[in-house]
Amino acid sequence: TGCNHIGDIDYRSGSIYVAIDGCGDGRAKVGVFKRESLSYQGASDLPGLSRVAAVAFNPVDDRLYALNRNLDALRVYGVHVSGTRLRASFMREVPLLTQHGERWRGQRNQGLKFSANGRAYVVFDHADFSKGGVYELEGDPGRQVTRDISMEHGRLEDLMTLAVGTAKPVMTGALS
């Protein structure tokens, strides 16, 4: 693909989707790998993005969301797979807003994940988990950055529900 950076990943229907940027053509991409063999299946441009930190599927609307490097918006794409061909079609942009309705500017972002009920969470590079670093995005349109979730005295079931994407936690316990 002529690119030099693979970002955050997500899983859907037997395939692993990855954010790809640093491409010679100046366009961000989403790549797909087969889960069983980890074999590369191809990539598609993410129209309107030159850099992308993370991609994730929202289980509620089955759309691919891409987090831009400015962390001021989520771009929503429809993904069509035919054999080994992948195509991402831009659908809309969802601005990220503060609780005061202003465009939010986060730090350098690193990851995006949706819970089973469609809530989006973002993490940053170099996060100090004792002081927070995981942000919840709520509402649509104009998802609000509403809460910084501190990992101090966190619950394992919260993290596992977030990471695995199930409504019921697969593990429970306390973090120390």
Side-chain angles (χ1 to χ4, degrees), residues 84-159:
T84 59
R85 294 188 48 90
L86 171 72
R87 183 174 52 96
S89 303
F90 175 72
M91 303 196 69
R92 62 191 168 101
E93 181 174 274
V94 180
L96 299 180
L97 305 174
T98 67
Q99 291 171 320
H100 305 290
E102 300 166 351
R103 194 77 171 215
W104 190 61
R105 299 280 181 184
Q107 303 165 1
R108 184 178 158 141
N109 57 71
Q110 187 59 37
L112 170 68
K113 179 68 178 163
F114 283 91
S115 67
N117 65 0
R119 288 200 171 208
Y121 297 86
V122 177
V123 296
F124 299 107
D125 277 351
H126 314 295
D128 179 350
F129 289 124
S130 68
K131 296 178 182 172
V134 178
Y135 290 83
E136 180 178 16
L137 310 177
E138 289 184 346
D140 190 4
R143 290 183 178 270
Q144 288 188 340
V145 180
T146 59
R147 183 172 20 168
D148 181 1
I149 303 167
S150 175
M151 300 309 290
E152 187 175 7
H153 308 299
R155 298 182 318 158
L156 180 59
E157 55 263 35
D158 294 336
L159 286 177

Side-chain angles (χ1 to χ4, degrees), residues 157-169:
E157 55 263 35
D158 294 336
L159 286 177
M160 292 306 296
T161 298
L162 174 63
V164 178
T166 63
K168 183 174 180 181

Side-chain angles (χ1 to χ4, degrees), residues 14-69:
S15 296
I16 298 169
Y17 292 81
V18 300
I20 302 173
D21 68 8
C23 304
D25 63 7
R27 295 182 291 221
K29 302 178 185 334
V30 58
V32 64
F33 294 78
K34 285 288 187 196
R35 183 192 59 82
E36 299 86 13
S37 63
L38 297 181
S39 60
Y40 177 69
Q41 298 297 299
S44 173
D45 289 343
L46 291 172
L49 286 180
S50 60
R51 302 285 308 230
V52 62
V55 294
F57 281 93
N58 182 336
V60 173
D61 65 10
D62 202 33
R63 302 285 183 209
L64 181 76
Y65 286 67
L67 185 60
N68 69 17
R69 289 271 185 184

